[in-house]
Amino acid sequence: SYLVDYKDYLYYPKILHIKNGGVPFYVNMHACPISYGGTQAVVVAVTDITEMMEKDAQLVQAAKMKTLGEMSAGIAHEINQPLNTIKMGSEYLTLLLEQKKTISDDQIRDMATAISEQVDRATEIINNLRAFGRKSGLTMERVSLAEPIQGVLSIIGRQFTIQRIAIRLELDDNLPQVKGHNNRLQQVFFNLLNNARDAIQEKMESDPELYGDILVRTYSENGKVVVLISDNGVGIPDDVRNKIFEPFFTTKQTGKGMGLGLAITYGIVRDYGGTIRIESKSGEGTTFYLTFSAVD
Ligand code: ADP
């Protein structure tokens, strides 16, 4: 006979170990004290979860690539904008040259600056895309949440505007950092913003006059960092509410929803020790609150 003392039960998730040859692997470790035939002992169970974590990462990657595919129209639009400005600037210069017109140094400087700014803008969009597409490593970094938020907006912002959806940003300039990965957090905001957009578009079907409104706000309270994403879409009915984090649960038509967005979002946020809370009113809109511990 043996007794388990649950209050001394220990659980260490995802600890990094190194094999003899220097190969890293991850384990979950459980330890609990037992008394066995009158002797005190400790049972330690160690499970290698490296393969599971790799599968997880592959799933996240697959979903990310799908999102990127869906977003390609918007991305093309984002990059076209700076290209158009550059094209117009260079055509104007050629025209001046052909007409043998002189322009002042100041005018040349202004144009050169404008062109250079547009090149920077296009480069920034491409860098954000690269960062988003890259698979993230397993170790965590310190992240300022404004970075992944701005990164995602640089990719999808214009597309939302075209669809008559405004995104209001209220980012706290003094927000403490959190632990995580920039590009996995981009995936989180991508998913939440896409869902907000879909909910608004669904409502637009019955209310064509509707102006979409999404608020993204960050703030800190009591050592926590909070991101709030609020939309004025269809809302989540009560009977759907407790299913939305399940993998493959979707209310969207086939081909549109995979039902993985929130399952992945939940997995990532939980990995970083964070929590997700939802407030929603059917027909009026939804607010997601993500809470993370601040690192000092
Ligand atoms: P998908 O977007 O592919 O359906 P998700 O896991 O991201 O998968 O979302 C699951 C379901 O949760 C959606 O189909 C939708 O019914 C609901 N949902 C998620 N976010 C919102 C939102 N902001 N407003 C209304 N419903 C939402």
Side-chain angles (χ1 to χ4, degrees), residues 118-146:
Q118 295 301 320
V119 172
D120 288 348
R121 185 163 149 56
T123 311
E124 190 194 317
I125 296 167
I126 290 165
N127 285 341
N128 279 330
L129 272 174
R130 280 224 188 91
F132 181 65
R134 220 177 357 239
K135 261 180 97 170
S136 45
L138 292 174
T139 47
M140 290 200 227
E141 313 141 10
R142 286 161 157 261
V143 186
S144 303
L145 286 177

Side-chain angles (χ1 to χ4, degrees), residues 155-208:
I155 302 175
I156 62 173
R158 189 160 304 279
Q159 203 189 26
F160 277 45
T161 316
I162 296 168
Q163 295 167 333
R164 274 218 340 259
I165 299 171
I167 302 183
R168 285 182 290 136
L169 269 188
E170 294 178 9
L171 301 182
D172 178 352
D173 289 334
N174 300 312
L175 198 72
Q177 291 181 308
V178 301
K179 264 194 171 164
H181 304 89
N182 183 20
N183 57 351
R184 298 193 88 193
L185 284 164
Q186 282 201 26
Q187 172 75 7
V188 166
F189 297 123
F190 233 95
N191 291 342
L192 295 177
L193 288 168
N194 276 335
N195 280 343
R197 192 249 345 250
D198 290 345
I200 289 169
Q201 286 189 329
E202 197 183 326
K203 196 165 160 191
M204 280 175 171
E205 282 169 19
S206 57
D207 179 4

